[in-house]
Amino acid sequence: MTDAIGDLATPRPAAPIPTIHPLIVRTTHWINAAAVLVMIASGWEIYNASPILPFRFPTALTLGGWLGGALLWHFAAMWVLALNFVVLVGYGLASGRYRRKLWPIRPREILADIRDALRGKLAHADPAHYNAVQKLLYAGVLGLIVLVIASGLAIWKPVQLQWLTALFGGFQGARIVHFLAMSGIAGFILVHVTMALIVPRTILAMLRGR
Ligand code: HEM
C-alpha cells in the first residue's frame, strides 16, 4: 500500500515531445516559401512588361522595379527554388514521409472534410496529422511547383528544349500554363497562410519541429 502511494508521489519523468517536422523538412519548407514568394513577385513584374491578360499587377506587389531587375531576381531565385525542391521532395519520398503523411488521398474523406469545413468543424488543430483536404492541397501544390518549373524551363530555353516547349503547345502555351500554375500556387498560399494563422501552433511546430 505504502509502495503504491510512494509510486503515485514520485514524479514521472516527462515523456519526450515527439518531433513532427524534422530539421530538413523545416529548413526546406521555409527556403521554399521564400523562393516561391520571390519568384511570384518578380514574375508579376515580368508579366507586367508584356501581359497575356487584360490587366497588370500593382507595382507595390512586384519585385525588381523594372523588367531587367525582375528577370535577375527571377533567375536567381529559380536556382534556389529548384535545388531546394529536389532536396525537399527527395527527402519526402525517400524517407517515406509523403507515404505516411500525404497518402492515401480518398475522395470520400475529402468530401467529408469539406462538409465539416462548411459547418466550421474541420479539425486542423493537430500538427502531427493532416486532414484529407490538407493532404490534397499539399500534394497538389508540390505538383504545381513541378509544373511551374517545367513550363518555366520551356519559356527560358524554347530552342534547346524544343520538345518540352512543344509539350505545352508551343511558347504561348507554356506561358499560359506557367501563369495558371503560378495562380494555383498563389491561391494555395492564400488559403495555407490563412489556415496557419488561424492555428498558430502549427507555425510554431514548423519552426521548432515539435
Ligand atoms: C510564407 C508563409 C507560409 C507559412 C506561414 C507556412 C506554414 C506552414 C505550416 C504551419 C505547415 C504545417 C502545417 C500543419 O502542421 O498543419 C506547413 C506545411 C507545408 N507547407 Fe507551408 N507555409 C508557408 C508557405 C508555403 C509555401 C509558399 C508553400 C509551397 C508553395 C508551402 C507548402 C507546404 C507544404 C507542401 C507543407 C507540408 C510539408 C510536410 O509536412 O512535409 N508552404 N506550412
Side-chain angles (χ1 to χ4, degrees):
M1 184 64 181
T2 336
D3 279 357
I5 292 170
D7 277 357
L8 285 175
T10 315
R12 288 170 184 227
I17 303 170
T19 300
I20 301 170
H21 304 304
L23 183 63
I24 185 166
V25 170
R26 284 176 276 144
T27 314
T28 51
H29 173 270
W30 292 117
I31 293 176
N32 180 63
V36 166
L37 291 179
V38 171
M39 291 300 283
I40 291 182
S42 55
W44 287 358
E45 181 70 46
I46 298 168
Y47 166 95
N48 281 352
S50 165
I52 48 175
L53 292 170
F55 71 88
R56 288 189 155 79
F57 291 99
T59 315
L61 297 180
T62 66
L63 183 67
W66 65 296
L67 175 61
L71 281 169
L72 288 178
W73 277 104
H74 212 64
F75 287 141
M78 155 186 106
W79 292 107
V80 180
L81 176 80
L83 295 177
N84 181 70
F85 190 72
V86 170
V87 179
L88 182 153
V89 172
Y91 173 82
L93 292 174
S95 66
R97 179 180 174 85
Y98 288 163
R99 193 166 24 82
R100 279 193 316 275
K101 301 200 68 152
L102 301 186
W103 196 256
I105 301 172
R106 297 196 178 95
R108 204 163 7 97
E109 289 174 11
I110 293 167
L111 289 178
D113 278 357
I114 291 174
R115 265 197 306 271
D116 284 354
L118 293 176
R119 286 195 232 121
K121 287 197 315 190
L122 182 61
H124 177 264
D126 177 3
H129 296 285
Y130 295 145
N131 60 48
V133 174
Q134 275 179 292
K135 288 184 191 176
L136 179 73
L137 288 182
Y138 293 157
V141 81
L142 295 175
L144 283 178
I145 294 178
V146 172
L147 194 61
V148 93
I149 292 177
S151 53
L153 284 172
I155 298 168
W156 182 38
K157 298 282 177 198
V159 177
Q160 294 87 337
L161 301 175
Q162 277 175 35
W163 59 273
L164 187 61
T165 313
L167 218 62
F168 289 110
F171 188 80
Q172 281 307 329
R175 272 194 85 185
I176 291 166
V177 172
H178 200 61
F179 187 89
L180 291 176
M182 174 282 294
S183 308
I185 295 170
F188 165 85
I189 295 174
L190 259 180
V191 175
H192 183 57
V193 174
T194 307
M195 294 308 286
L197 290 176
I198 292 174
V199 191
R201 68 199 169 102
T202 60
I203 302 184
L204 284 180
M206 198 34 110
L207 287 167
R208 294 193 308 212
R210 287 164 293 154

